[in-house]
Amino acid sequence: MAKRALITGILGQDGPYLAKLLLEKDYKVYGLIRRYTNPNFSNIDYLGITDDIEFVTGDMTDESSLLNLIKNLRPDEVYNLAAQSFVGVSWEQAKLTTEVNSLGVLYLLDAIRFFHPKAKFYQASTSEMFGNNSDGGVQSDETPFQPRSPYGISKLYAHWMTRNYRESYGMFTSSGILFNHESPIRGKEFVTRKISDGVAKIKLGKEKEIRLGNLDASRDWGFAGDFVEAMWLMLQQEEPDDYVVATGETHTIKDYLDVAFKHVGIDDWKPYVTVDPMFKRPAEVDLLKGDCSKAKEKLGWKPKVSFDELVKMMVDADLERVGEE
Ligand code: NAP
Ligand code: G4F
């Protein structure tokens, strides 16, 4: 019989890539969406899988909706990708961020514990939990957490709860500590997509500049399509565990600008980029670079798409979309 998976955050970036992977593996996929008058299916439409998913409604902040869902669906695997995932806004909406990212996870874990404790649970943890801490410039499974944003703090609560339910109740709960991963369906407020969209608009004469914040921050950027494979692999192991998932390379925003602009034939991006303090953060995470040796060794996972390939893929996709507008 086909395995049944519930994915929260199905309309975001990772949800569609994970759903596509699970559908290819013959899973029955349920996708949790919030109630909207006009839901936005553009990301799953982009991957061509909208008709293959069964949508169920609920909200991470509404405990009873999650209790009912787990009670009725009894999924084999639950992937919790839902979040207020934008670090920048988490200072302005710290309470909402905590309700969705922290309490929402507690509600979902309890729903599983009460109604279907055999379900395997994946929690979307994040490299943002490390803050500026590292072991000589690298973050691994051993690096202590030191979050610097309300988002990072909210995710750390969920991370520890996920671990606690494993230790306290023997549930199969695993967290992936994923470093930044991007794609053509990345939200436009995140820096990579903001740049790829801006570069396409500048190239096609529709905009004149891109306004950005801190250009010196470094991120370990991988491709979302690669990273969702690690999520699935974590739930196929004999034992639950937590894993860092990263590419092991780090690049600054300036590096991203270099590759993106050069790809459309513009050698110097400086005339097209304005630094606007509005996009700077009250506390920045300066450098993220992950060591995912454990995931490589135990899951047999490794990233396939390089940094240059990722940037070009995103710019090409936006050139096509902006061209069609
Ligand atoms: P995303 O594009 O922002 O998607 C998040 C999804 O969560 C959206 O579909 C959103 O629904 C849903 N959501 C928000 N609040 C909700 C609520 N109250 N109830 C139900 N659903 C709600 O995020 P992503 O990039 O796919 O990331 C997936 C997960 O991985 C997130 O938990 C994120 O924090 C984590 N993560 C991401 C990265 C990364 O680099 N992408 C790295 C590490 C960890 P709507 O569509 O209705 O708004
Ligand atoms: O693209 P970002 O907004 O991603 P950030 O803050 O690293 O968070 C993403 O990755 C986390 C994993 O490490 C996830 F957990 C989280 O959900 C999200 O997916 O910003 C990246 C960097 C930051 O240093 C930011 O200050 O880019 C810098 N930046 C510079 N100018 C900008 C801008 N970021 C945004 N969003 N917009 C700018 O104009």
Side-chain angles (χ1 to χ4, degrees):
M1 212 172 81
K3 275 195 195 171
R4 295 142 52 81
L6 171 65
I7 302 176
T8 71
I10 190 79
L11 302 182
Q13 172 189 249
D14 292 2
Y17 280 105
L18 177 64
K20 190 163 194 284
L21 179 80
L22 297 184
L23 288 166
E24 283 162 7
K25 295 183 184 300
D26 289 329
Y27 277 62
K28 166 84 182 159
V29 177
Y30 297 91
L32 175 72
I33 58 173
R34 300 190 258 185
R35 202 214 77 82
Y36 280 111
T37 306
N38 293 306
N40 180 353
F41 290 98
S42 59
N43 284 353
I44 39 176
D45 283 346
Y46 190 85
L47 295 193
I49 53 169
T50 308
D51 293 340
D52 302 321
I53 295 166
E54 188 166 327
F55 297 100
V56 289
T57 48
D59 195 298
M60 294 303 290
T61 60
D62 185 72
E63 191 174 10
S64 66
S65 71
L66 302 179
L67 289 166
N68 275 326
L69 265 183
I70 298 298
K71 188 177 171 192
N72 295 332
L73 293 181
R74 298 173 61 81
D76 299 295
E77 296 173 8
V78 178
Y79 295 86
N80 181 37
L81 310 184
Q84 189 305 91
S85 78
F86 188 40
V87 175
V89 99
S90 72
W91 279 272
E92 290 147 36
Q93 299 187 21
K95 181 169 180 269
L96 174 82
T97 302
T98 307
E99 282 171 354
V100 179
N101 298 1
S102 307
L103 290 180
V105 180
L106 175 63
Y107 301 154
L108 190 50
L109 283 167
D110 270 342
I112 295 170
R113 177 161 73 98
F114 296 147
F115 290 114
H116 193 45
K118 280 192 184 144
K120 293 181 172 182
F121 177 78
Y122 172 84
Q123 168 59 15
S125 288
T126 166
S127 47
E128 187 70 17
M129 299 186 309
F130 292 118
N132 274 337
N133 209 17
S134 73
D135 296 315
V138 178
Q139 294 91 8
S140 74
D141 295 273
E142 307 302 322
T143 308
F145 300 120
Q146 209 173 295
R148 275 168 73 76
S149 62
Y151 168 81
I153 295 164
S154 70
K155 282 284 186 174
L156 189 51
Y157 171 91
H159 182 78
W160 283 115
M161 271 301 172
T162 301
R163 192 166 173 160
N164 184 261
Y165 273 47
R166 177 163 88 219
E167 292 170 358
S168 305
Y169 305 115
M171 286 164 56
F172 194 113
T173 60
S174 294
S175 289
I177 305 169
L178 269 54
F179 283 59
N180 298 50
H181 46 280
E182 320 292 315
S183 74
I185 57 170
R186 182 61 143 152
K188 278 190 194 169
E189 73 270 41
F190 298 96
V191 76
T192 54
R193 182 78 198 288
K194 189 172 171 182
I195 296 173
S196 65
D197 180 60
V199 166
K201 285 180 175 150
I202 288 167
K203 177 68 183 171
L204 298 176
K206 299 196 174 181
E207 297 276 357
K208 289 194 166 45
E209 63 163 5
I210 309 174
R211 300 184 82 80
L212 297 171
N214 176 16
L215 305 185
D216 294 314
S218 274
R219 289 290 180 274
D220 180 329
W221 279 301
F223 172 49
D226 289 347
F227 280 41
V228 297
E229 284 182 30
M231 298 176 186
W232 175 76
L233 283 166
M234 281 178 221
L235 297 200
Q236 311 316 308
Q237 303 306 301
E238 287 291 315
E239 298 295 333
D241 204 347
D242 305 327
Y243 300 86
V244 159
V245 178
T247 72
E249 276 184 34
T250 193
H251 299 272
T252 61
I253 317 298
K254 287 177 181 164
D255 295 334
Y256 192 100
L257 285 163
D258 272 336
V259 179
F261 272 94
K262 284 208 175 97
H263 187 52
V264 299
I266 300 173
D267 283 340
D268 183 10
W269 49 262
K270 290 187 191 71
Y272 300 98
V273 173
T274 303
V275 172
D276 184 338
M278 195 179 111
F279 297 109
K280 292 196 174 169
R281 296 175 178 177
E284 177 65 284
V285 169
D286 299 312
L287 186 145
L288 290 173
K289 183 179 177 195
D291 170 358
C292 70
S293 311
K294 179 174 160 186
K296 279 186 177 157
E297 189 194 320
K298 298 208 166 157
L299 304 178
W301 178 86
K302 61 174 196 257
K304 299 183 192 108
V305 175
S306 72
F307 173 69
D308 277 34
E309 286 167 344
L310 173 67
V311 181
K312 290 173 187 171
M313 177 204 299
M314 291 179 71
V315 172
D316 284 340
D318 277 319
L319 280 170
E320 200 175 319
R321 278 186 287 219
V322 174
E324 283 166 5
E325 274 166 17

